[in-house]
C-alpha cells in the first residue's frame, strides 16, 4: 500500500484510476500489454521453431535437453500470461509489465543462441538478457505498488537498473564475439559493435556479473524483509509473489557467481544445468504466484459484486461493518461515521477515536467533497483501488443509511446521558435541600422554641404575655411539623439510610387503605432504590376510594430491580417514565397496576 | 442525675442544657459529634446521654450508631436520641437490642421541658421511651383484618402507652386508674392481638411495636 489514507469514491464525478505505469489512463497500458502479449506468443512460438532448427549444439540450454526446453518455454509463457492477466484485471500496476519483461529477458538467451539466426535478433537478445536481475530487484522493492517505500529500496532498484543499462550497453559497443575468450552462445554476431576492445569488454563482463551477484542477493533479502514487516492478511497476500521474487533473485545471484568462478559457460555441465533449472523453476513459481494473486482478488471482487447487489437492494442498518469484514477477510476492519461536529461514532452511535489516531489504514468515504465516513482496515494487498471502487459503489446506499442511523443513535445516546444527568442533578439538589432544611431552618425554629419557652417561664401563668407566648409556641410547633413533612416529601432520608424496604413501609403507614408489602431487606444502588420508591409513592398517592387490596412486591433478578404495585396505579406517570427510562429501565402502567424494571448498575 | 448532651448545633445544645439545668439536672458534659459523645460518656460517668440523631460527618443516623456504641460499652448509661424523623424505622432500630433505658423522641417535643425531663426519669427507671407521634402513626396504619379495631377505647389508650414504653405504674398514673386495672387491660389486649410475649416484661414494647409495624392479619407478609 503506497498511501496510508485514501478516498473511497462516491460515484460522482466518475472515479479515475491513478496514473499508470508508463502512461496516462489504462488504455495505453492495455495496448502496451496486448502488444507485449502478441510479442510473447510470437517469441515463444518462434522460440520453439528456433529450437527445432538449432542442432543439439552447445549454444543454448534448451537445445541440449527436452526437459530444459520445456522449463524454459513454459516459464516464459506463464510469465507472459501472468503479466497479461495482471494488466487486464488489476489495472496498470507495474507488476504486470514487469512480469512480461521478465519473460522476454528469460527467453532472450534462446534467441542469442539461434543457430544461423539473423544477426540483429541475436545481438538484441545479448543486450536485453542481463536486465532480469534489475527487473526482479525492482519487483522486490516496489511490489505491490509502483514506488519503493524506503529510500534504501529505491536506491537499490534504481542503482541496479542504471548499472545494468550502462554495463550492458557499453559491452555491446566494444565486445567482438570473435575475440571473446569465453563466448559460447553467440560467437559471431554483434551488430552494435563500434570498436573491439577485448580487455575492457572482459572487465565490463566481470563488473556486470559482480553487480548481478550483489543486486541479486540484496533483492532476495529485501523481498523477504518486506514480507516479514507485513502482518495478517497483508502478509498472506504478498507472500505469493514476494517469496518467488526472493528465490528467483537469489538464483540469479547464484548464476552470476558461478560465471565469475567458471567463466566458460557450458550447458552440458551439471552445475550450469542445475542453476538454469533453478532459475526456470523459480520464475515459474513467480508466474504462478502472480496468477494466484490475481485469482484471489477476482474472487474478492466477485464477492463484493454479489454483496453489492444485496447492499444496494436492502441494506440492513448496522450490518455494513460485518459485511465488509467478511469481504476483506479482515476481522479488524471497522466502519466509522463522522458527525457534523467532527466527532466519530460507530454504527451504534457510540463515540470512537478519530481514525487518524489509529494504526489501521484509513479509507475515507466522501460525499460532495466532505468526509462522511471512514473505513479502517488492515493494509492488505487485496485492498486495491479496484476493490475500493467496487465497495464504494456497492456500499453507497448502506453507508448513507448507516450514517443517518448512527447520527440518530449518537443523538439518542447524548439525550440518554443528558436525561440521566438531569435526574441525578435533581436528586442531588433535593437531597441538599432536605439537608439544608434540617440543618438550617429547623435548627433556627428549635432555637426559637427554646427562647419562647424561656420567656414563658419568666411570666406569670395567667398573664396576657403568657397567652401570647403559648400561642407562639404552638405556632413554632406547627411550623416544625410542617417543615418535617416538607423535608420528607423533598427527599425521604430513610430511603438512603435504611433502604427501600423501610421506606416502602413508611409509605404504607400513611396510605389511606391497607397495603400488603412483600419486599426483601436487600439494598440496591441509591438511584434504583429512589426510582422504585417513587413508583410506589406515585401508585399509593392515587385517589381511588377503596381499591380492595393493594399489594407492593419488590424483587430483584439478574441485576434488575422489579417493583410491582397491583390494585393502584399512578395518576400521572410521566415523571416515572422520564426517570426510569433515563436509567435504561421500563415502566408499564395499567389501569390498576404499575410495574417497573430498573437496572442496578 | 448527671447528663451528657451531644448535638452539633450550638443553639439546640444550649437549649437542651438550659432545660435540663432548669429542671435541676446536672449537665456534666457536652459533645459536638458522635465520637466526642462516646468519649465524654465514658470519661464523665453520666447517668444519661442525650444525642442528636444527625451529627457530623454524614448527618444521617450517627446518633443511633453512637447510642448503640455507648450502650454496648456502658450498659448502665441511659440513652435518649432526639430526632426529626417520624419514621418508625429509626426508633425500632434504636431499641431493638435492649429496650430498657433507651428512648427516641422527636426534637420538637423537647421544648416542652417537662417531656424531656420526664423521659429521662423514665429511662433512669429502666423503662423505654418511644415518641407518641410514632406510636400514633403505627396505630393508625390501615390493615386488612385489623384486630386493633376490636379493642375498646380505653384498651387502645393503654396500648398506645405500652407502645410508648410506659410501665404499668406510669400508665395507671397517666390514666388515673389502679395498676390492677392496667394489668387487666394489658392481658386483654395481648389476648385480642394474639401476642404471646410476657405482658410484664421489658421487651413487651418491642413486641407491641413489631406487631403494629407488621401488616398484621394480612397473609403472605414477610415481616
Amino acid at each position: 500500500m503506497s498511501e496510508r489514507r485514501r478516498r473511497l469514491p462516491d460515484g460522482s464525478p466518475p472515479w479515475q484510476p491513478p496514473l499508470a505505469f508508463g502512461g496516462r489512463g489504462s488504455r495505453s497500458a492495455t495496448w502496451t500489454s496486448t502488444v507485449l502479449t502478441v510479442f510473447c506468443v510470437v517469441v515463444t512460438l518462434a522460440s520453439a521453431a528456433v529450437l527445432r532448427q538449432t542442432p543439439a549444439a552447445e549454444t543454448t540450454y534448451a537445445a541440449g535437453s527436452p526437459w530444459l526446453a520445456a522449463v524454459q518455454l513454459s516459464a516464459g509463457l506463464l510469465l507472459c500470461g501472468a503479466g497479461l492477466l495482471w494488466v487486464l484485471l488489476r489495472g496498470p500496476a507495474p507488476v504486470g509489465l514487469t512480469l512480461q519483461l521478465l519473460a522476454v529477458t528469460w527467453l532472450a538467451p534462446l534467441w542469442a543462441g539461434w543457430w544461423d539466426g539473423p544477426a540483429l535478433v541475436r545481438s538484441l537478445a545479448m543486450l536485453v538478457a542481463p536486465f532480469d536481475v534489475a527487473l526482479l530487484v525492482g519487483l522486490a522493492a516496489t511490489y505491490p505498488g509502483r514506488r519503493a517505500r524506503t529510500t534504501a529500496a529505491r536506491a537499490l532498484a534504481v542503482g541496479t537498473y542504471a548499472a545494468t543499462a550502462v554495463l550492458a550497453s557499453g559491452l555491446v559497443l566494444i565486445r567482438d564475439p570473435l575475440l571473446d575468450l569465453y563466448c559460447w552462445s553467440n560467437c559471431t554476431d554483434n551488430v552494435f559493435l563500434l570498436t573491439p576492445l577485448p580487455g575492457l569488454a572482459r572487465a565490463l563482463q566481470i563488473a556486470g556479473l559482480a553487480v548481478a551477484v550483489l543486486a541479486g542477493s540484496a533483492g532476495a533479502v529485501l523481498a523477504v524483509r518486506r514480507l516479514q514487516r507485513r502482518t495478517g492478511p497483508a502478509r498472506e497476500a504478498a507472500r505469493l509473489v514476494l517469496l518467488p521474487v526472493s528465490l528467483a533473485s537469489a538464483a540469479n545471484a547464484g548464476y552470476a557467481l558461478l560465471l565469475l568462478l567458471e567463466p566458460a559457460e557450458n550447458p552440458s555441465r551439471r552445475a550450469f544445468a542445475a542453476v538454469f533449472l533453478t532459475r526456470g523453476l523459480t520464475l515459474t513459481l513467480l508466474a504462478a504466484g502472480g496468477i494466484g494473486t490475481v485469482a484471489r482478488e477476482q474472487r474478492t471482487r466477485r464477492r463484493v459484486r454479489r454483496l453489492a447487489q444485496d447492499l444496494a437492494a436492502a441494506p440492513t442498518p448496522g450490518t455494513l461493518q460485518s459485511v465488509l469484514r467478511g469481504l476483506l477477510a479482515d476481522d479488524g476492519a471497522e466502519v466509522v461515521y463522522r458527525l457534523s461536529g467532527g466527532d466519530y461514532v460507530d454504527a451504534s452511535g457510540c463515540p470512537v477515536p478519530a481514525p487518524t489516531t489509529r494504526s489501521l489504514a484509513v479509507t475515507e468515504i466522501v460525499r460532495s467533497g466532505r468526509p462522511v465516513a471512514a473505513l479502517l482496515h488492515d493494509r492488505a494487498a487485496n485492498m486495491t483501488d479496484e476493490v475500493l471502487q467496487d465497495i464504494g459503489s456497492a456500499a453507497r446506499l448502506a453507508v448513507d443509511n448507516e450514517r443517518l442511523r448512527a447520527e440518530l443513535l449518537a443523538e439518542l445516546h447524548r439525550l440518554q446521558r443528558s436525561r440521566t444527568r438531569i435526574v441525578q442533578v435533581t436528586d442531588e439538589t433535593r437531597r441538599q435541600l432536605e439537608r439544608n432544611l434540617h440543618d438550617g431552618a429547623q435548627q433556627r425554629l428549635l432555637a426559637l422554641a427554646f427562647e419562647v419557652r424561656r420567656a414563658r417561664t419568666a411570666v406569670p401563668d395567667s398573664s396576657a404575655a403568657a397567652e401570647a407566648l403559648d400561642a407562639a409556641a404552638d405556632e413554632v410547633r406547627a411550623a416544625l411539623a410542617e417543615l418535617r413533612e416538607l423535608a420528607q416529601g423533598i427527599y425521604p432520608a430513610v430511603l438512603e439510610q435504611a433502604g427501600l424496604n423501610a421506606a416502602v413501609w413508611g409509605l404504607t403507614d400513611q396510605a389511606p387503605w391497607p397495603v400488603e408489602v412483600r419486599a426483601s431487606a436487600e439494598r440496591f444502588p441509591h438511584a434504583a432504590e429512589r426510582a422504585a420508591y417513587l413508583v410506589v409513592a406515585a401508585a399509593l398517592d392515587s385517589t381511588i376510594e377503596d381499591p380492595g387490596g393493594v399489594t407492593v412486591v419488590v424483587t430483584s433478578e439478574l441485576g434488575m430491580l422489579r417493583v410491582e404495585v397491583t390494585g393502584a396505579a399512578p395518576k400521572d406517570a410521566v415523571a416515572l417514565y422520564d426517570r426510569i427510562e433515563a436509567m435504561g429501565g421500563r415502566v408499564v402502567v395499567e389501569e390498576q397496576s404499575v410495574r417497573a424494571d430498573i437496572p442496578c448498575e | 442525675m448527671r447528663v451528657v448532651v451531644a448535638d452539633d448545633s450550638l443553639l439546640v445544645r444550649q437549649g437542651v442544657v438550659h432545660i435540663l439545668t432548669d429542671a435541676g439536672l446536672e449537665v456534666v458534659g457536652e459533645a459536638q459529634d458522635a465520637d466526642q459523645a462516646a468519649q465524654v460518656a465514658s470519661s464523665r460517668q453520666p447517668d444519661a446521654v442525650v444525642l442528636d440523631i444527625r451529627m457530623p460527618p454524614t448527618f444521617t443516623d450517627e446518633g443511633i450508631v453512637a447510642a448503640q456504641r455507648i450502650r454496648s460499652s456502658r450498659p448502665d448509661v441511659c440513652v435518649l436520641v432526639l430526632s426529626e424523623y417520624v419514621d418508625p424505622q429509626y426508633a425500632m432500630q434504636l431499641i431493638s437490642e435492649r429496650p430498657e433505658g433507651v428512648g427516641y423522641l422527636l426534637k420538637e417535643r423537647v421544648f416542652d421541658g417537662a417531656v424531656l425531663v420526664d423521659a429521662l426519669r423514665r429511662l433512669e427507671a429502666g423503662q423505654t421511651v418511644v415518641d407518641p407521634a410514632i406510636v400514633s402513626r403505627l396505630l393508625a396504619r390501615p390493615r386488612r383484618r385489623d384486630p386493633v379495631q376490636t379493642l375498646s377505647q380505653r384498651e387502645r389508650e393503654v396500648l398506645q402507652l405500652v407502645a410508648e414504653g410506659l410501665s404499668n405504674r406510669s400508665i395507671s398514673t397517666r390514666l388515673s386508674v389502679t395498676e390492677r386495672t392496667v394489668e387487666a387491660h394489658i392481658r386483654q389486649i395481648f389476648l385480642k392481638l394474639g401476642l404471646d410475649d410476657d405482658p410484664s416484661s421489658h421487651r413487651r414494647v418491642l413486641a407491641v411495636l413489631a406487631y403494629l409495624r407488621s401488616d398484621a392479619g394480612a397473609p403472605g407478609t414477610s415481616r
Side-chain angles (χ1 to χ4, degrees):
Chain A
M1 208 102 316
S2 55
E3 302 158 68
R4 202 165 107 66
R5 294 187 70 174
R6 293 196 284 188
R7 289 200 153 189
L8 205 58
D10 66 350
S12 59
W15 179 74
Q16 287 291 323
L19 286 184
F21 177 75
R24 256 173 210 285
S26 59
R27 191 183 291 173
S28 71
T30 312
W31 187 81
T32 314
S33 167
T34 313
V35 169
L36 277 171
T37 307
V38 172
F39 176 73
C40 276
V41 171
V42 169
V43 162
T44 316
L45 288 177
S47 301
V50 164
L51 268 180
R52 289 178 60 85
Q53 283 187 20
T54 306
E58 313 281 276
T59 56
T60 64
Y61 286 87
S65 145
W67 291 107
L68 294 183
V71 166
Q72 185 158 30
L73 290 180
S74 64
L77 253 184
L78 276 172
L79 280 171
C80 245
L84 182 68
L85 273 179
W86 198 285
V87 172
L88 289 181
L89 297 176
R90 283 203 59 158
V95 179
L97 295 178
T98 306
L99 291 178
Q100 293 192 316
L101 291 174
L102 268 172
V104 172
T105 57
W106 170 243
L107 289 174
L110 201 60
W111 291 75
W114 187 358
W115 200 253
D116 290 335
L120 178 63
V121 173
R122 298 184 75 183
S123 306
L124 270 175
M126 294 296 283
L127 179 62
V128 299
F131 277 91
D132 54 354
V133 174
L135 286 167
L136 283 170
V137 168
L139 210 49
T142 60
Y143 182 83
R146 55 176 54 85
R147 188 179 283 270
R149 297 193 60 168
T150 63
T151 320
R154 200 175 305 138
L156 176 64
V158 171
T160 310
Y161 269 113
T164 309
V166 169
L167 293 173
S169 54
L171 186 62
V172 295
L173 294 179
I174 57 168
R175 173 178 172 269
D176 185 345
L178 293 170
L179 300 178
D180 187 351
L181 196 60
Y182 300 111
C183 112
W184 67 287
S185 64
N186 170 12
C187 294
T188 51
D189 299 308
N190 182 7
V191 297
F192 304 113
L193 181 65
L194 283 182
T195 317
L197 292 169
L200 188 57
R202 181 60 196 154
L204 287 185
Q205 269 178 338
I206 289 175
L209 290 174
V211 166
V213 170
L214 294 175
S217 317
V221 172
L222 177 64
V224 171
R225 288 281 298 275
R226 290 194 60 218
L227 196 56
Q228 281 172 337
R229 270 199 294 274
R230 292 166 169 251
T231 51
R235 177 189 278 190
E236 208 175 306
R239 185 161 24 194
L240 280 178
V241 170
L242 279 180
L243 223 48
V245 163
S246 172
L247 293 175
S249 208
N252 272 346
Y255 177 47
L257 190 63
L258 185 61
L259 278 179
L260 280 176
L261 299 174
E262 297 281 337
E265 187 166 358
N266 182 353
S268 60
R269 285 180 61 184
R270 187 162 292 193
F272 281 107
V275 168
F276 180 83
L277 188 66
T278 310
R279 288 171 67 210
L281 290 178
T282 53
L283 287 177
T284 308
L285 212 56
L286 173 59
I291 293 170
T293 304
V294 173
R296 272 170 69 124
E297 195 178 286
Q298 285 307 108
R299 261 205 319 277
T300 306
R301 292 185 69 182
R302 268 200 305 282
R303 272 186 300 168
V304 170
R305 290 207 191 87
R306 247 197 331 272
L307 283 156
Q309 291 162 356
D310 298 347
L311 285 175
T316 317
T319 55
L320 184 62
Q321 178 168 294
S322 59
V323 165
L324 287 180
R325 281 183 177 181
L327 212 62
L328 303 173
D330 178 5
D331 286 342
E334 289 174 42
V335 182
V336 299
Y337 299 92
R338 191 174 191 270
L339 301 182
S340 45
D343 294 331
Y344 282 87
V345 294
D346 64 13
S348 63
C350 294
V352 293
T356 45
T357 64
R358 313 281 296 273
S359 61
L360 295 165
V362 178
T363 302
E364 283 184 329
I365 298 166
V366 290
R367 288 279 178 277
S368 337
R370 263 184 338 113
V372 293
L375 174 60
L376 296 124
H377 52 87
D378 196 287
R379 286 167 214 168
N382 58 353
M383 277 300 289
T384 60
D385 292 327
E386 290 71 35
V387 173
L388 279 178
Q389 191 184 16
D390 286 343
I391 292 174
S393 48
R396 241 177 95 82
L397 195 54
V399 164
D400 284 346
N401 276 357
E402 287 218 343
R403 184 169 60 90
L404 290 176
R405 184 168 168 274
E407 259 181 16
L408 278 178
L409 287 174
E411 191 61 33
L412 203 63
H413 290 321
R414 269 205 295 276
L415 275 176
Q416 189 88 21
R417 284 195 295 276
S418 155
R419 282 171 82 180
T420 312
R421 272 199 304 277
I422 289 173
V423 169
Q424 280 170 352
V425 167
T426 311
D427 281 357
E428 188 47 45
T429 309
R430 293 175 78 115
R431 205 173 93 124
Q432 197 56 48
L433 197 58
E434 186 258 1
R435 286 191 174 180
N436 290 347
L437 281 179
H438 275 305
D439 300 335
Q442 192 191 41
Q443 305 300 318
R444 298 256 163 216
L445 277 176
L446 279 171
L448 176 63
F450 288 125
E451 292 306 318
V452 170
R453 181 194 151 274
R454 284 181 70 194
R456 176 65 183 80
T457 54
V459 298
D461 271 356
S462 53
S463 63
E467 205 173 307
L469 284 172
D470 283 341
D474 285 343
E475 281 302 315
V476 176
R477 212 190 309 257
L480 275 167
E482 272 184 33
L483 190 64
R484 196 177 54 225
E485 288 295 313
L486 188 63
Q488 165 83 13
I490 289 172
Y491 196 90
V494 66
L495 179 62
E496 195 177 322
Q497 289 151 33
L500 183 58
N501 183 29
V504 167
W505 276 101
L507 282 174
T508 60
D509 278 348
Q510 290 158 308
W513 7 258
V515 179
E516 185 188 333
V517 181
R518 271 177 286 174
S520 72
E522 196 183 339
R523 292 300 305 258
F524 306 97
H526 285 327
E529 285 192 332
R530 178 147 172 81
Y533 173 87
L534 290 173
V535 170
V536 178
L540 298 188
D541 197 31
S542 65
T543 48
I544 303 166
E545 286 263 315
D546 181 10
V550 178
T551 313
V552 177
V553 180
V554 179
T555 49
S556 71
E557 198 180 320
L558 299 172
M560 291 289 265
L561 170 59
R562 166 172 285 200
V563 55
E564 206 165 2
V565 182
T566 46
K571 284 184 299 245
D572 180 8
V574 175
L576 295 181
Y577 285 122
D578 281 353
R579 173 180 290 269
I580 291 168
E581 283 171 7
M583 299 171 73
R586 211 164 65 95
V587 187
V588 181
V589 179
E590 283 164 14
E591 201 181 332
Q592 283 281 292
S593 73
V594 55
R595 193 182 73 231
D597 290 305
I598 304 156
C600 301
E601 279 159 6
Chain B
M1 188 175 185
R2 297 159 57 82
V3 184
V4 166
V5 179
D7 195 316
D8 59 299
S9 157
L10 181 65
L11 291 172
V12 176
R13 202 166 68 232
Q14 282 178 339
V16 172
V17 169
H18 273 300
I19 292 171
L20 295 179
T21 44
D22 286 357
L25 275 65
E26 185 188 355
V27 175
V28 295
E30 295 181 27
Q32 294 180 33
D33 59 45
D35 285 340
Q36 207 183 353
Q39 213 176 336
V40 176
S42 66
S43 65
R44 301 285 166 82
Q45 307 284 326
D47 299 311
V49 180
V50 178
L51 287 156
D52 180 16
I53 191 169
R54 289 161 63 107
M55 280 190 288
T58 67
F59 295 97
T60 50
D61 58 355
E62 279 83 2
I64 288 180
V65 177
Q68 286 165 339
R69 258 171 64 196
I70 292 170
R71 289 286 289 172
S72 61
S73 64
R74 304 277 317 271
D76 53 321
V77 175
C78 307
V79 176
L80 179 63
V81 172
L82 301 181
S83 167
E84 48 266 277
Y85 303 128
V86 77
D87 204 294
Q89 172 70 26
Y90 296 101
M92 295 191 58
Q93 185 189 339
L94 177 67
I95 65 171
S96 60
E97 285 292 311
R98 220 154 42 88
E100 313 90 287
V102 182
Y104 183 95
L105 271 188
L106 289 183
K107 232 177 201 178
E108 68 221 47
R109 198 75 62 190
V110 304
F111 66 80
D112 188 352
V115 173
L116 179 60
V117 174
D118 176 56
L120 285 174
R121 298 265 180 237
R122 276 170 54 200
L123 292 179
E124 193 180 27
Q127 297 180 25
T128 305
V129 172
V130 177
D131 195 280
I134 290 169
V135 176
S136 301
R137 182 169 149 163
L138 284 175
L139 273 173
R141 180 184 169 83
R143 291 174 184 80
R144 193 83 50 84
R145 269 184 328 215
D146 193 357
V148 176
Q149 297 294 334
T150 66
L151 301 181
S152 69
Q153 180 61 32
R154 180 39 65 97
E155 282 168 349
R156 284 175 65 96
E157 285 172 24
V158 173
L159 178 60
Q160 163 100 31
L161 295 177
V162 168
E164 285 177 27
L166 269 68
S167 65
N168 289 0
R169 179 192 297 267
S170 306
I171 296 173
S172 71
T173 315
R174 191 77 70 88
L175 298 180
S176 311
V177 293
T178 65
E179 246 184 283
R180 276 178 166 282
T181 316
V182 171
E183 277 168 26
H185 277 312
I186 291 175
R187 267 200 305 279
Q188 191 62 23
I189 291 166
F190 271 52
L191 196 64
K192 282 185 177 174
L193 299 186
L195 288 171
D196 299 334
D197 290 58
D198 178 3
S200 59
S201 83
H202 284 297
R203 302 193 68 84
R204 71 182 187 183
V205 61
L206 269 181
V208 169
L209 284 176
Y211 178 86
L212 293 176
R213 177 77 200 282
S214 72
D215 197 0
T221 308
S222 65
R223 299 176 50 134

